[in-house]
Amino acid sequence: MYYVQPTVVRLPFSLLCMLDLSCAFDTVDHSILLDRLRCAFGVQGVDISWIESFLQDRTQSVHIANQQSSIMKLVCGVPQGSVLGPILFLVYCADVMAIAH
């Protein structure tokens, strides 16, 4: 509140923008990401094939006690805990700043 109050006093309005990125890595659409890599960043050939293979055929299931859910194929999300995951997320969000301007 210390930083907000001086702004409110001096200006006739204030703007607060909050983004919840807690599940952001899970929302990256693979096809949009691959298209963005091809069109906006010029990634082609073996490089795009390698990234595509990194993303495809991923599955998940939940295991609790002695029960396991059915295996579901993932069509969205980048692997968390990998070196490439955050980079791919940044590529996916790269044009957000251009939209904001």
Side-chain angles (χ1 to χ4, degrees):
M1 196 63 164
Y2 174 75
Y3 298 105
V4 175
Q5 189 175 6
T7 303
V8 173
V9 172
R10 281 184 266 148
L11 299 175
F13 64 90
S14 295
L15 176 66
L16 175 65
C17 180
M18 299 177 73
L19 297 174
D20 179 10
L21 298 177
S22 59
C23 296
F25 280 57
D26 297 332
T27 62
V28 175
D29 184 284
H30 294 170
S31 60
I32 294 172
L33 173 62
L34 292 168
D35 286 344
R36 190 158 295 152
L37 283 166
R38 287 184 191 102
C39 298
F41 293 92
V43 179
Q44 297 178 5
V46 176
D47 299 326
I48 198 72
S49 297
W50 182 80
I51 294 170
E52 189 172 12
S53 71
F54 178 71
L55 295 172
Q56 71 185 6
D57 297 327
R58 293 190 171 274
T59 59
Q60 76 177 17
S61 65
V62 177
H63 191 103
I64 300 174
N66 293 331
Q67 300 286 323
Q68 182 173 351
S69 68
S70 58
I71 296 173
M72 302 291 293
K73 183 177 180 181
L74 298 176
V75 294
C76 291
V78 292
Q80 298 179 29
S82 68
V83 173
L84 196 55
I87 296 169
L88 292 175
F89 177 73
L90 289 174
V91 165
Y92 186 75
C93 297
D95 58 352
V96 170
M97 290 309 294
I99 293 169
H101 287 138

